[in-house]
Each structure stands twice: as C-alpha cells, then as structure tokens.
C-alpha cells in the first residue's frame, strides 16, 4: 500500500503509541543469535530502535520515502527505501542474503503486504534454526466507559473509507494467514493479546485520529469525518482538552519460526 501514509507522515510519528520494551526482550529471548534483525514497513523506525537494544544491527525498510524522512536515527539502525519495483533478489541482497536474519518484525503493517510474496522472503531470509518472525497490530483503544461508546460511533463513520485489508486488524489478526511454527507468542488463528499502555492528552488523541488512513481518504473525497461537532462531542466525552488520560491500546501478536 505504497503512499497510503505519505500525506500524514508527520502526524503518524507524533501520534502512534510506543511499543513496550518488554516485547523486544520477549522476542530476543526466542532467537538463538542476535546479529541481524529486519524491521519491515519501519515507518518512523519506532520498532526498529526498540529491536536495536537487543541486536547488533537492524535494517529498517519501507516503501514510503515520506515515512523514512521522519525515521528516528540510531547508531545500530540502517534505513533503506525499498520501492515496490525492487526485485526479490535485490531485496534479499540488501538485507543480508538467505539464512542471515535472526529476527524479522512487522509493526502495524503486515496486513498491507502481498503476503505470499512476503512470507516467501521471510522463509529465505530467516536463519535456520533459531530465527523468528513477529507481526503485531493494535485496534481498539480503551479509555473510559463514558468515552468508549462515543469513540465507537465515530469509528463506525470511518468504515466506508478503509482499505479492505484493514479487516485483518479489525479481527485482531485472528484471520491473518501466518504459516509459521509457533514459538509460544501467538500462532495462526490464535494471536497473543497484549496491551499498550499510554498517557495521552486529547490533542494527542486527535492527532492519532487524523493520522488514520480512512480519515485522510475521506478528506480527499471531500468528507470531513472530524468535523467541529464531532471533535466537540469527543472532547466532552474525554473530559476536556486539558485532561491527560491513561489509556490502553489493544494489541495482538503472532510469532513463529520456519517449519522445517
């Protein structure tokens, strides 16, 4: 889905939650070696720099140049622009070659991929034995009994503007094909449920909504889903623009190794 997040790249960096550091420790404990990791659909590099705390080198790739312009620098992370036109062999070579990668991560992005093509690359790149692939997403946001129903009504208005692939996220990755052997951190049809805690102001929350691809798509079609009245209703249910809330993003993970 190249270009889907180009327009709101700055908002995307500002608004998205930070994945808990324990996730990366948990994944690193499942790999036999910690030499090389590949973060796919890296966007602003948020997951890549988390992975870099445990691996000697991380390569973060994305099909969006606009996203990579906002990538967070880190001495262990190398960012690469990988246009859709790049061949499998070129991509393999740029990452490290077959049987070279200890951990492959995809944060909030695998549902946009050509899955058979991607999984074929994963199978070739992962170190065998000992390499694993982990994909995760988040969907619902738990704020409060007052706010959550108002948020549900807003979310329903966005449904016509999402790409169909977003259904995987709405399903919490329960329907996402994932042809890898379980390592105990979620498997095909049975994702591991996780929470992402975050302290968030109403303005931060609003920036997150504005970064949604459905909101941008609707706006490009002349429909303002976040009209003044909608924002007013959300703000009132939140408790006012000055209130900082402790919320939880509901997340789901699948992790596995190549079946031998």
């Amino acid at each position: 889905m190249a270009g889907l997040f180009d327009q709101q790249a700055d908002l995307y960096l500002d608004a998205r939650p930070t994945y808990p550091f324990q996730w990366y420790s948990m994944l690193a404990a499942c790999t036999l070696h910690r030499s090389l990791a590949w973060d796919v659909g890296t966007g602003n590099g948020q997951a890549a720099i988390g992975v870099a705390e445990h691996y000697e080198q991380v390569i973060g790739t994305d099909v969006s140049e606009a996203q990579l312009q906002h990538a967070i620098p880190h001495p262990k992370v190398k960012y690469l622009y990988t246009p859709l036109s790049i061949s499998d062999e070129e991509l393999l070579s740029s990452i490290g070659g077959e049987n070279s990668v200890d951990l492959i991560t995809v944060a909030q992005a695998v549902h946009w991929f050509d899955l058979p093509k991607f999984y074929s690359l994963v199978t070739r790149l992962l170190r065998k034995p000992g390499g694993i692939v982990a994909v995760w997403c988040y969907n619902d946001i738990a704020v409060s009994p007052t706010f959550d129903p108002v948020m549900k009504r807003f979310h329903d208005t966005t449904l016509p503007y999402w790409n169909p692939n977003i259904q995987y996220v709405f399903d919490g990755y329960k329907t996402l094909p994932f042809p890898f052997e379980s390592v105990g951190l979620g498997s095909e049809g049975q994702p591991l449920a996780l929470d992402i805690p975050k302290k968030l102001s109403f303005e931060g929350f609003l920036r997150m909504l504005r970064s949604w691809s459905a909101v941008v798509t609707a706006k490009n079609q002349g429909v303002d889903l976040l009209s003044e009245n909608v924002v007013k209703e959300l703000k009132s249910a939140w408790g006012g623009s000055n209130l900082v809330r402790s919320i939880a993003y509901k997340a789901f993970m699948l992790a596995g190794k190549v079946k031998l």
Side-chain angles (χ1 to χ4, degrees):
M1 300 306 298
L4 193 59
F5 297 96
D6 288 358
Q7 288 177 260
Q8 69 270 37
D10 55 340
L11 282 174
Y12 201 94
L13 170 61
D14 182 56
R16 298 292 160 151
T18 301
Y19 306 117
F21 71 88
Q22 297 96 328
W23 290 17
Y24 305 112
S25 302
M26 183 172 69
L27 292 169
C30 291
T31 62
L32 290 180
H33 307 278
R34 299 185 184 180
S35 298
L36 178 62
W38 177 30
D39 185 48
V40 199
T42 198
N44 57 55
Q46 183 192 130
I49 62 171
V51 171
E53 296 304 309
H54 299 277
Y55 292 81
E56 293 172 20
Q57 183 185 10
V58 181
I59 297 175
T61 64
D62 208 290
V63 299
S64 169
E65 284 187 287
Q67 286 280 341
L68 290 174
Q69 285 171 6
H70 294 274
I72 306 160
H74 190 286
K76 289 186 180 179
V77 181
K78 176 183 178 183
Y79 294 109
L80 292 176
Y81 169 54
T82 51
L84 292 176
S85 58
I86 194 171
S87 71
D88 287 359
E89 299 309 316
E90 286 176 299
L91 187 55
L92 280 164
S93 177
S94 65
I95 302 302
E98 297 201 14
N99 207 44
S100 66
V101 179
D102 300 302
L103 174 67
I104 296 174
T105 53
V106 192
Q108 201 70 11
V110 79
H111 45 278
W112 303 124
F113 294 0
D114 176 337
L115 292 175
K117 177 184 171 77
F118 174 63
Y119 289 153
S120 174
L121 285 167
V122 167
T123 299
R124 294 175 67 184
L125 278 164
L126 275 184
R127 191 193 293 263
K128 294 171 278 292
I132 71 165
V133 56
V135 304
W136 62 84
C137 72
Y138 55 87
N139 52 22
D140 290 338
I141 306 166
V143 177
S144 74
T146 302
F147 184 82
D148 294 349
V150 178
M151 179 60 188
K152 172 69 166 59
R153 287 199 298 274
F154 167 73
H155 187 272
D156 288 346
T157 70
T158 71
L159 295 178
Y161 303 99
W162 290 103
N163 180 281
N165 286 39
I166 202 69
Q167 191 60 46
Y168 287 132
V169 176
F170 293 166
D171 292 342
Y173 278 5
K174 287 187 179 73
T175 57
L176 183 81
F178 194 72
F180 299 96
E181 186 178 332
S182 174
V183 293
L185 299 174
S187 58
E188 186 174 66
Q190 295 181 309
L192 175 67
L194 298 162
D195 278 356
I196 307 174
K198 186 175 176 69
K199 289 193 178 297
L200 195 62
S201 68
F202 180 72
E203 288 305 315
F205 171 76
L206 202 55
R207 286 194 293 271
M208 189 269 293
L209 294 187
R210 287 181 174 138
S211 77
W212 282 10
S213 60
V215 171
V216 175
T217 297
K219 194 168 187 178
N220 289 341
Q221 294 177 15
V223 179
D224 185 6
L225 295 177
L226 286 168
S227 66
E228 188 176 332
N229 286 339
V230 170
V231 171
K232 193 173 179 180
E233 185 182 14
L234 287 167
K235 185 191 296 183
S236 175
W238 184 273
S241 56
N242 295 325
L243 181 61
V244 175
R245 284 189 171 276
S246 295
I247 70 164
Y249 290 85
K250 297 299 181 179
F252 305 90
M253 179 181 286
L254 301 169
K257 58 186 179 180
V258 176
K259 295 175 180 177
L260 299 176

